[in-house]
Amino acid sequence: MAGKVFFSVSMSLDGFIAPESMEGFIAPEERRDAPDVQRWMAQWMELQQWIFPQRFFRENLKLGEGGEEGRDNEIVRETFERTGASVMGKRMFDLGEKAWPEEAPFHTPVFVVTHEKRDPWERPGGTTCHFVNDGIETALDQARGAAGDRDVRIAGGGATILKYVNAGLIDEFTIALSPVLFGSGIRLFEGVDAGRVALEPVRAEPTQRVTHLTYAVRER
Ligand SMILES: NC(=O)c1ccc[n+]([C@@H]2O[C@H](COP(=O)([O-])OP(=O)(O)OC[C@H]3O[C@@H](n4cnc5c(N)ncnc54)[C@H](OP(=O)(O)O)[C@@H]3O)[C@@H](O)[C@H]2O)c1
């Protein structure tokens, strides 16, 4: 049986999934101490403050041993284990290409929607990124084929998730609602076709660090 199509992101309480400029991740060495870069990193770390201490996340991103093993950790692990393939936008890939460890953290095929023609990017540990030039539906078909019985994760970023939401292609999503206010940045639902998308609450799980909210997506 085919799996679900879902996304799972961390969001600030005022609706942003990343600070405005992406300089923080890709700044050259000599700019790392610049105030704008430092501000970007500080905001990003605040948004993701719940996930960095988690044992599974730390091991998968080669951040070091140990870490928390409570409900947040289980949610990170469950999200990883249900995912048979991922789809992402080119800007998220560009950041990840620079920031992920050599053994990239997906360990499955990844389909990158982009206008750029490029050979597959193969990493040790089972992650291979394929570049798809003919649209989000083709990328999803390929991801479904690769995922088998498992689910397809639309990994991000905001622009790509929104295209899948507005095309009616998302079955379910989870937001880790972080106790932080951004004021500006990349807004998750900027441009959503609200007349088309209806939500059904599935689960709300507060932890000490964050609130995990899961919704099923229905057509209106
Ligand atoms: N908070 C979280 O949990 C979370 C999770 C994931 C990502 N993020 C953040 O999200 C940000 C990136 O998001 P973003 O919204 O800026 O960009 P994005 O969705 O990652 O990428 C957008 C790009 O993907 C390509 N693309 C998208 N749809 C396409 C289509 N139908 N056909 C061809 N190409 C297509 C285009 O690139 P080209 O035209 O250049 O090919 C487009 O500019 C990053 O800052 C990342 O950190 C946050």
Side-chain angles (χ1 to χ4, degrees):
M1 206 182 78
K4 289 181 180 168
V5 180
F6 78 104
F7 68 84
S8 178
V9 293
S10 303
M11 189 177 85
S12 71
L13 200 50
D14 53 347
F16 299 97
I17 61 160
E20 194 78 67
S21 147
M22 292 188 283
E23 275 278 309
F25 268 165
I26 54 175
E29 195 60 44
E30 62 275 14
R31 289 213 66 238
R32 292 274 155 83
D33 293 332
D36 59 326
V37 175
Q38 290 286 310
R39 199 163 44 247
W40 197 102
M41 277 315 287
Q43 272 191 297
W44 179 256
M45 294 306 286
E46 250 193 300
L47 178 68
Q48 301 287 17
Q49 51 78 28
W50 71 277
I51 204 170
F52 276 95
Q54 305 310 322
R55 185 183 184 112
F56 187 87
F57 183 81
R58 298 182 61 74
E59 283 171 1
N60 199 30
L61 269 170
K62 312 266 181 263
L63 296 176
E65 292 183 3
E68 294 179 12
E69 295 187 66
R71 185 63 191 130
D72 287 322
N73 189 56
E74 279 172 27
I75 287 172
V76 179
R77 183 195 302 280
E78 286 164 9
T79 304
F80 176 86
E81 287 176 350
R82 71 185 281 197
T83 302
S86 294
V87 175
M88 74 180 59
K90 182 62 164 40
R91 285 200 287 265
M92 178 173 171
F93 173 81
D94 287 343
L95 295 181
E97 186 179 20
K98 296 187 173 67
W100 295 322
E102 196 194 0
E103 201 172 300
F106 301 93
H107 307 285
T108 63
V110 175
F111 298 87
V112 181
V113 282
T114 178
H115 296 95
E116 187 184 316
K117 296 205 184 325
R118 188 172 155 173
D119 290 334
W121 188 74
E122 197 174 335
R123 311 311 289 166
T127 301
T128 300
C129 295
H130 304 272
F131 300 90
V132 181
N133 303 129
D134 37 11
I136 60 167
E137 300 207 2
T138 303
L140 182 55
D141 285 347
Q142 293 183 9
R144 279 199 174 108
D149 292 346
R150 285 194 288 165
D151 295 340
V152 172
R153 180 177 185 175
I154 309 301
T160 301
I161 287 174
L162 189 75
K163 284 183 185 170
Y164 281 100
V165 171
N166 282 347
L169 293 170
I170 299 289
D171 298 314
E172 189 179 286
F173 66 85
T174 298
I175 287 175
L177 195 58
S178 250
V180 52
L181 297 169
F182 270 21
S184 66
I186 297 178
R187 194 182 277 286
L188 179 59
F189 291 115
E190 185 82 59
V192 72
D193 185 352
R196 175 167 190 186
V197 178
L199 303 180
E200 195 179 292
V202 173
R203 205 165 38 249
E205 285 192 83
T207 68
Q208 286 302 308
R209 294 186 173 278
V210 79
T211 304
H212 302 275
L213 299 169
T214 300
Y215 299 90
V217 183
R218 308 273 181 250
E219 290 230 5
R220 277 192 195 279

